[in-house]
């Protein structure tokens, strides 16, 4: 009989030590052993470093602070309301996705930050029960979208800071003018619009191969309704060049309109651009867009036009096939159904009413696909299915797609469940994902504020950050790296290129507060302040 070393969590649970021992065990995550999955290894494109990333996992906690393992610390780089530039623009509310663009390597750069939604209690000063006034609408729209801030590491003080004298820092918000690209541009489906007002509900995003940011409009419905804006102008993927205000900000309608979580870009073997996307809604699908034309690095930012034209696919998990969402296919499926034939007449109608077209053509409804990320090590695709209480999947799971021939341009795939949330793994509601150079998958969790620390979620404590090796003996085992303040979720993890710093958003601390004089969190505990603020932190202490 083959004898195999026990992985750490199984080992600890067998010696009866469980969580206590985990807290004191120093983990050597990501160290590749001979036992590493041979199939995975054969797919590796970037070789993981063999140094091994070590930290002492923390225990679940309900402390109103960012709790990190020994040897790590955090600095608050920017929080809601902070002035970001000489024009005195301010940092928006509920920061989410972050993306670091180097200026001086890993010590100074621009940080793109999404702002997902507002909390009227903190932004307007009170709950809004009636119609929003024009002044309230302006605040509602200004505090969503994105911030471009300049950040730097102050070596003397050993601290990350924001540079509010930056010439690059600016806001993109619900008030910024956008152009539309792709099949819905100027179409009846979007009221004939070529340009539209603003972006909001910006959840997660991605980076293009040409160094711009993609930011995703997720739950846009409330804001468009409260602001009296056309809902068909939202639910798209936007593109911004953080360095160049002359790059006309745009919404790429070819990538579909739904409750977009993020957009992860890769290349097919024939150099077409591929974008994987999740639709964060119960019983919603996983998508990918494949451009018609090929990526040409020498074209720089002009490659943005690749996102105007291509094929949008939805995943059929049962058949392991990517189904193209074309008007021809939709018309054929709608045959004999006059209301559908009326609704779907052009490709613009298909991309605008994407969720309906996807289900009609056989897309598989899944448990709220949040972040979808491509592993830089083996090109497989990880999908955070956060949860879905409609089917009793309360803690979610992380799915892994393996494309045929390991090619993003293929239309067939296989999949597996890489890790499952629950008591056994210690995490619940995986959301944003990222990788480190040791081939560890990092996931943040998003147990909703109203469920935290009670009922089926009692054992998890506050939301957290978890590190899960994707290769080696500990493949799929989650270890907790951070714990969030009360009622907050962590979002948007992003490493600097040298991996010495991890940027991370702390979103909606104290979200369940009813009375401003008695908030449920006071993070980031600024001197003289008694209310919480969402903010972006920089975590240091890494040694990969
Ligand atoms: Fe905005 Fe899907 O979380
Ligand atoms: Ca999210
Ligand atoms: Ca979420």
């Amino acid at each position: 009989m083959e004898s195999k070393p026990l992985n750490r969590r199984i080992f600890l649970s067998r010696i009866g030590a469980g969580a206590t021992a985990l807290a004191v065990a120093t983990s050597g995550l990501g160290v590749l052993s001979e036992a590493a999955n041979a199939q995975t290894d054969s797919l590796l494109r970037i070789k993981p470093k063999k140094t091994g990333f070590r930290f002492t996992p923390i225990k679940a906690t309900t402390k109103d602070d960012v709790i990190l393992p020994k040897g790590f610390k955090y600095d608050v780089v920017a929080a809601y309301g902070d002035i970001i530039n000489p024009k005195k623009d301010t940092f928006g509310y509920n920061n989410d996705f972050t993306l670091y663009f180097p200026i001086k390597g890993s010590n100074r750069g621009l940080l793109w930050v999404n702002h997902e939604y507002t909390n009227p209690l903190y932004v307007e000063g009170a709950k809004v029960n009636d119609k929003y006034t024009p002044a309230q609408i302006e605040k509602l729209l200004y505090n969503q979208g994105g911030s471009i801030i300049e950040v730097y590491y102050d070596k003397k003080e050993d601290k990350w800071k924001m540079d509010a004298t930056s010439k690059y820092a600016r806001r993109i918000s619900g008030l910024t003018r956008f152009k539309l690209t792709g099949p819905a541009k100027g179409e009846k489906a979007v009221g004939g619009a070529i340009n539209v007002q603003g972006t909001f509900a910006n959840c997660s995003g991605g980076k293009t191969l040409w160094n711009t940011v993609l930011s995703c409009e997720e739950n846009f419905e409330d804001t468009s309704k409260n602001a009296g804006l056309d809902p068909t102008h939202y639910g798209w993927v936007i593109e911004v060049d953080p360095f160049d205000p002359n790059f006309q900000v745009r919404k790429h309608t070819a990538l579909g309109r739904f409750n977009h979580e993020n957009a992860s870009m890769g290349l097919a073997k024939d150099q077409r651009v591929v974008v994987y996307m999740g639709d964060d809604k119960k019983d919603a699908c996983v998508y990918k867009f494949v451009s018609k034309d090929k990526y040409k690095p020498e074209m720089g930012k002009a490659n943005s036009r690749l996102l105007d034209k291509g094929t949008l696919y939805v995943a059929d998990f049962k058949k392991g096939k990517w189904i193209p969402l074309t008007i021809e296919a939709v018309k054929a499926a709608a045959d004999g159904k006059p209301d559908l034939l009326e609704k779907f007449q052009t490709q613009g109608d298909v991309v605008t009413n994407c969720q309906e077209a996807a289900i009609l053509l056989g897309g598989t409804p899944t448990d709220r696909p949040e972040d979808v990320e491509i592993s830089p090590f083996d090109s497989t695709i990880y999908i955070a299915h956060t949860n879905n209480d409609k089917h009793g999947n309360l803690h979610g799971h992380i799915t892994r797609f393996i494309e045929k021939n390991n090619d993003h341009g293929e239309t067939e795939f296989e999949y597996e469940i890489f890790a499952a949330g629950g008591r056994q793994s210690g995490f619940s509601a995986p959301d944003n994902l990222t990788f480190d150079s040791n081939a560890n998958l990092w996931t943040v969790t998003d147990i909703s504020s109203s469920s935290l620390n009670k009922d089926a979620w009692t054992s998890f404590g506050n939301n957290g950050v978890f590190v899960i090796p994707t290769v080696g003996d500990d493949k799929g085992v989650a270890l907790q790296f951070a714990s969030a303040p009360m009622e907050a979720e962590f979002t948007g993890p992003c490493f600097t290129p040298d991996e010495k710093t991890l940027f991370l958003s702390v979103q909606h601390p104290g979200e369940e507060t009813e009375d401003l004089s008695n908030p449920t969190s006071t993070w980031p505990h600024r001197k003289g302040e008694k209310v919480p603020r969402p903010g972006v932190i920089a975590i240091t202490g890494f040694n990969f």
Side-chain angles (χ1 to χ4, degrees), residues 159-178:
K159 208 175 167 182
W160 275 92
K161 295 177 179 171
M162 174 166 61
D163 182 353
T165 68
S166 171
K167 62 175 182 187
Y168 297 109
R170 63 191 160 108
R171 285 295 319 278
I172 303 290
S173 74
L175 304 166
T176 309
R177 185 181 153 92
F178 281 78

Side-chain angles (χ1 to χ4, degrees), residues 96 116 203 218 261 280 370 431:
D96 200 301
E116 187 173 17
C203 190
E218 193 193 48
E261 174 72 24
D280 184 3
E370 297 240 32
D431 192 325

Side-chain angles (χ1 to χ4, degrees), residues 96-99 112 114 116 200-208 213-219 235-239 252 254-266 274-281 284-289 307 312-313 322 368-375 380-386 399 430-435 441-444 491-494:
D96 200 301
F97 178 65
T98 75
L99 185 57
W112 166 272
N114 276 2
E116 187 173 17
F200 42 79
N202 303 73
C203 190
S204 188
K207 191 176 192 175
T208 65
V213 62
L214 298 175
S215 168
C216 294
E217 297 174 347
E218 193 193 48
N219 296 311
W236 302 107
V237 176
I238 70 159
E239 184 182 1
H252 291 295
L255 275 57
R257 173 175 165 270
F258 42 92
N259 300 110
H260 275 283
E261 174 72 24
N262 86 319
S264 181
M265 186 175 282
V274 182
V275 185
Y276 292 94
M277 299 170 287
D279 181 11
D280 184 3
K281 192 179 148 145
C285 302
V286 177
Y287 297 84
K288 80 171 172 183
F289 168 84
L307 301 182
L312 184 62
Y313 295 90
W322 289 103
R368 290 185 56 202
E370 297 240 32
D371 245 23
V372 181
E373 294 289 341
I374 303 168
S375 162
T380 61
I381 297 103
Y382 287 75
I383 305 162
H385 280 109
T386 194
T399 304
D431 192 325
N432 298 141
L433 308 170
T434 194
F435 292 89
L441 179 70
W442 291 63
T443 184
V444 297
T491 52
C494 175

Side-chain angles (χ1 to χ4, degrees), residues 240-503:
V240 176
D241 182 349
F243 288 101
D244 183 6
N246 294 320
F247 178 93
Q248 174 60 51
V249 292
R250 55 199 69 177
K251 300 195 179 196
H252 291 295
T253 70
L255 275 57
R257 173 175 165 270
F258 42 92
N259 300 110
H260 275 283
E261 174 72 24
N262 86 319
S264 181
M265 186 175 282
L267 268 184
K269 283 190 176 159
D270 63 7
Q271 304 298 300
R272 287 174 300 157
V273 162
V274 182
V275 185
Y276 292 94
M277 299 170 287
D279 181 11
D280 184 3
K281 192 179 148 145
K282 289 175 191 177
D283 302 341
C285 302
V286 177
Y287 297 84
K288 80 171 172 183
F289 168 84
V290 182
S291 67
K292 178 172 176 285
D293 296 326
K294 292 176 183 176
Y295 173 61
K296 296 200 177 92
E298 66 277 13
M299 299 289 286
K301 283 166 191 165
N303 280 298
S304 173
R305 66 162 190 85
L306 295 173
L307 301 182
D308 298 1
K309 214 179 260 174
T311 307
L312 184 62
Y313 295 90
V314 65
D316 176 343
F317 282 58
K318 285 187 205 156
K319 297 203 169 89
K321 284 208 161 79
W322 289 103
I323 305 169
L325 298 177
T326 63
I327 183 61
E328 294 76 20
V330 171
K331 276 183 174 169
D335 195 27
K337 296 178 188 136
D339 51 330
L340 286 178
L341 289 169
E342 165 72 25
K343 188 178 215 168
F344 292 103
Q345 295 181 7
T346 67
Q347 190 62 25
D349 296 327
V350 175
V351 293
T352 306
N353 303 294
C354 206
Q355 289 165 328
E356 205 175 341
I359 296 294
L360 188 66
L361 293 186
T364 303
T366 69
D367 291 341
R368 290 185 56 202
E370 297 240 32
D371 245 23
V372 181
E373 294 289 341
I374 303 168
S375 162
F377 302 101
D378 63 11
S379 291
T380 61
I381 297 103
Y382 287 75
I383 305 162
H385 280 109
T386 194
N387 57 39
N388 189 347
D389 59 6
K390 272 169 89 176
H391 317 145
N393 184 359
L394 300 185
H395 302 305
H397 55 269
I398 300 172
T399 304
R400 178 173 176 245
F401 272 26
I402 302 122
E403 297 272 37
K404 188 178 173 187
N405 301 323
N406 203 29
D407 181 358
H408 298 314
E410 279 285 354
T411 54
E412 289 172 39
F413 64 89
E414 290 182 78
Y415 81 95
E416 64 190 26
I417 305 300
F418 167 70
R423 236 180 115 249
Q424 82 294 342
S425 61
F427 72 88
S428 175
D431 192 325
N432 298 141
L433 308 170
T434 194
F435 292 89
D436 66 34
S437 63
N438 283 179
N440 296 312
L441 179 70
W442 291 63
T443 184
V444 297
T445 60
D446 177 19
I447 301 167
S448 77
S449 303
S450 56
S451 300
L452 272 169
N453 294 309
K454 59 182 182 220
D455 304 331
W457 295 272
T458 308
S459 67
F460 301 102
N462 289 355
N463 278 308
V465 176
F466 292 80
V467 182
I468 315 178
T470 63
V471 293
D473 288 345
D474 286 331
K475 180 177 171 179
V477 175
L479 295 170
Q480 187 164 2
F481 177 80
S483 175
M486 288 305 289
E487 292 158 13
E489 66 169 308
F490 287 128
T491 52
C494 175
F495 281 103
T496 49
D498 67 1
E499 292 185 305
K500 288 195 184 310
T501 303
L502 176 70
F503 292 104

